[in-house]
């Protein structure tokens, strides 16, 4: 089954970065990302699915109770997708991080992912 680019943006946020089970997360990554995926973060570039799986686990371990939430609908134009997100405590507190993911797809999977942080609030 080939997903639309907008569907892949939702999978990226909700089924990868909100998935606490590492085996399920790795299976979703294997199904929805190219083997040679490149993930551009503000402070690093991660290359390949194996590094993607490792880095996603590392990121989620930093704040295991926090959740990602979409901040609008996913948009797409040809093979480019975009979805804004909020990240923070699940209990209705304001998000700690706001940003967006922009992805380029190839053959029905994410080939490149760019994570842009637009706001980061420090907790006291």
């Amino acid at each position: 089954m080939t997903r639309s680019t907008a569907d892949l943006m939702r999978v990226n946020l909700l089924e990868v970065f909100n998935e606490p089970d590492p085996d399920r997360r790795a299976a979703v990554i294997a199904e929805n990302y190219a083997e040679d995926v490149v993930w551009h973060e503000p402070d690093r570039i991660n290359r390949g699915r194996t590094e993607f799986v490792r880095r996603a686990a590392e990121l989620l371990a930093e704040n295991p109770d926090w959740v990602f939430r979409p901040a609008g609908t996913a948009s797409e134009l040809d093979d480019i997708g975009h979805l804004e997100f909020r990240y923070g405590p699940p209990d209705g507190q304001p998000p700690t991080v706001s940003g967006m993911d922009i992805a380029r797809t190839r053959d029905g999977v994410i080939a490149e992912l760019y994570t842009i942080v637009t706001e980061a609030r420090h907790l006291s």
Side-chain angles (χ1 to χ4, degrees), residues 5-56:
T5 300
D7 288 340
L8 287 168
M9 297 309 301
R10 287 185 288 275
V11 165
N12 175 68
L13 186 66
L14 301 173
E15 295 180 35
V16 172
F17 289 100
N18 269 348
E19 178 53 63
D21 181 87
D23 293 331
R24 287 178 56 190
R25 186 172 50 249
V28 171
I29 290 169
E31 183 179 331
N32 293 284
Y33 297 79
E35 181 68 37
D36 61 346
V37 62
V38 179
W39 176 17
H40 303 264
E41 292 185 87
D43 61 346
R44 72 187 79 200
I45 298 174
N46 307 283
R47 297 179 189 281
R49 258 196 229 140
T50 301
E51 183 64 16
F52 194 105
V53 168
R54 186 204 61 75
R55 177 60 183 139

Side-chain angles (χ1 to χ4, degrees), residues 93 96 121-124:
Q93 294 181 40
T96 303
R121 186 173 60 85
H122 295 285
L123 299 176
S124 333

